[in-house]
Amino acid sequence: MSTENRSQPETSSGEEPAPQAPKRRVGLLAAVALAAVALDILTKVLVVSNLEGREPVKLLGGLVYLQLVRNPGAAFSMATGMTWVLALVAIAVVGTLIWFAGRLRSAGWAVGLGLVLAGALGNLIDRLFRAPGPLRGHVVDFISVFAPNAEAFPVFNVADSCICVGGALIVLLSVLGRDYDGTVRGRK
């Protein structure tokens, strides 16, 4: 047998072996989620301790304002009386993403879903552990863009940003034909 043939594994039928599937990306998803949740918690702790009772802090010439807002609902003041429903939805999202994580074989999808997981967890932590109580806690928001007091855009936090960036990444990967299992569709 020549050296060339030894470098390629042989099969009993003489066919080439099937390509190996990409490795699972659970660790990457977990690392992204943990880092982003830690950043979300840290920023909320800093905001609550430094901005409570203060006027909005103007940054970047008024492009960004930092201000403490305790949000009982979702963006644009939707579902303000439904905090417990939002908490249950977040629990379902977190559970589904954890269940789905073992199927991930794409690094891009792992990062995207890790960010979505972090965002859901970050806001869920607030809804579970902040006043007025479990499943009714108000989310700490603190970033207002273009104008203070949500005059131009809803006030948001790191968790909200993670959900948006992660969702956008997933949509982009889907449009490009990159699947969660590491395969690429539509290459011609």
Side-chain angles (χ1 to χ4, degrees), residues 117-138:
L117 177 60
L121 276 172
N123 287 336
L124 178 60
I125 289 167
D126 282 0
R127 294 192 193 286
L128 291 175
F129 299 110
R130 292 198 184 271
L135 296 180
R136 297 176 300 128
H138 296 180

Side-chain angles (χ1 to χ4, degrees), residues 32-55:
V32 168
L34 287 173
V37 166
L39 180 62
D40 181 62
I41 292 170
L42 175 65
T43 56
K44 288 174 180 176
V45 166
L46 290 172
V47 163
V48 168
S49 65
N50 292 302
L51 294 180
E52 186 84 55
R54 289 187 58 191
E55 291 295 316

Side-chain angles (χ1 to χ4, degrees), residues 1-76:
M1 195 183 254
S2 72
T3 317
E4 293 171 25
N5 290 340
R6 280 188 227 155
S7 63
Q8 302 261 345
E10 289 184 32
T11 60
S12 59
S13 65
E15 296 175 11
E16 294 207 15
Q20 286 187 325
K23 68 180 182 175
R24 294 178 197 261
R25 301 298 184 167
V26 177
L28 178 58
L29 178 137
V32 168
L34 287 173
V37 166
L39 180 62
D40 181 62
I41 292 170
L42 175 65
T43 56
K44 288 174 180 176
V45 166
L46 290 172
V47 163
V48 168
S49 65
N50 292 302
L51 294 180
E52 186 84 55
R54 289 187 58 191
E55 291 295 316
V57 176
K58 184 177 179 180
L59 301 174
L60 303 173
L63 181 63
V64 176
Y65 291 83
L66 298 180
Q67 67 181 110
L68 175 60
V69 175
R70 295 178 190 273
N71 184 358
F76 300 104

Side-chain angles (χ1 to χ4, degrees), residues 99-162:
W99 170 80
F100 186 74
R103 298 177 180 178
L104 283 176
R105 294 185 182 276
S106 162
W109 273 81
V111 170
L113 290 177
L115 289 170
V116 171
L117 177 60
L121 276 172
N123 287 336
L124 178 60
I125 289 167
D126 282 0
R127 294 192 193 286
L128 291 175
F129 299 110
R130 292 198 184 271
L135 296 180
R136 297 176 300 128
H138 296 180
V139 173
V140 171
D141 289 331
F142 60 91
I143 303 167
S144 186
V145 292
F146 308 121
N149 307 314
E151 293 169 12
F153 194 79
V155 181
F156 59 97
N157 58 37
V158 172
D160 299 332
S161 297
C162 288

